[in-house]
Structure formats: structure tokens, C-alpha cells
Amino acid sequence: IIVLFYPGAFIKALNYAGICCVILLMLYPALMAWRGRYHKQDLAKGYRVIGGKPLLLILILIALFLIGQGIFESVHL
């Protein structure tokens, strides 16, 4: 019934859910890996995925770009 009266509601809800997914599945893990590797040196022992700082930085920048794009689109819907 809500979609009949407000057709853009479902798309806006998907947009907000996408922003939350990017934060939870891209940004937080990259920030946690950065914090564990480079701020708390004692946690960084053991297995590491290749890539180091450049890969984490690229992942953080992509996540921030996607979040910014989602916010920009939600403002203009």
C-alpha cells in the first residue's frame, strides 16, 4: 500500500540499505585491518593478506566514494 502512494519509497529504502552494506562490509573491515596492523603492532602477528597499505587505502577510498555517491543520490531522489 505504501508503494502505491509513494512509489519512490522502495528505491530510497534500497539506497539506504546499500549505504549500510558498504559501511558494514567494506569500510569497517578495512579500518579494522588498518588499525590492527599499523596502530596495534602486537595484533599484527601471524597471517596477513597481501596488499598492505596500498590495498587497504584503495578499499577505504572506494568505500568512501560509494557512500558519498549513495548519499548524493538519496538527496536528489
Side-chain angles (χ1 to χ4, degrees):
I1 294 174
I2 294 172
V3 175
L4 291 174
F5 295 112
Y6 185 50
F10 184 70
I11 300 300
K12 275 197 173 201
L14 284 176
N15 193 18
Y16 289 127
I19 292 170
C20 291
C21 284
V22 168
I23 291 170
L24 288 174
L25 298 175
M26 287 182 71
L27 187 60
Y28 282 168
L31 291 175
M32 287 189 296
W34 186 282
R35 177 99 172 151
R37 285 183 185 179
Y38 304 113
H39 289 282
K40 298 185 182 269
Q41 297 293 331
D42 56 337
L43 295 176
K45 294 181 175 42
Y47 179 75
R48 280 191 183 182
V49 177
I50 61 171
K53 282 185 182 182
L55 183 64
L56 286 176
L57 187 61
I58 289 170
L59 186 61
I60 291 169
L61 291 175
I62 290 172
L64 291 175
F65 172 75
L66 291 174
I67 292 167
Q69 183 181 10
I71 291 172
F72 180 76
E73 286 180 5
S74 69
V75 170
H76 287 89
L77 280 177

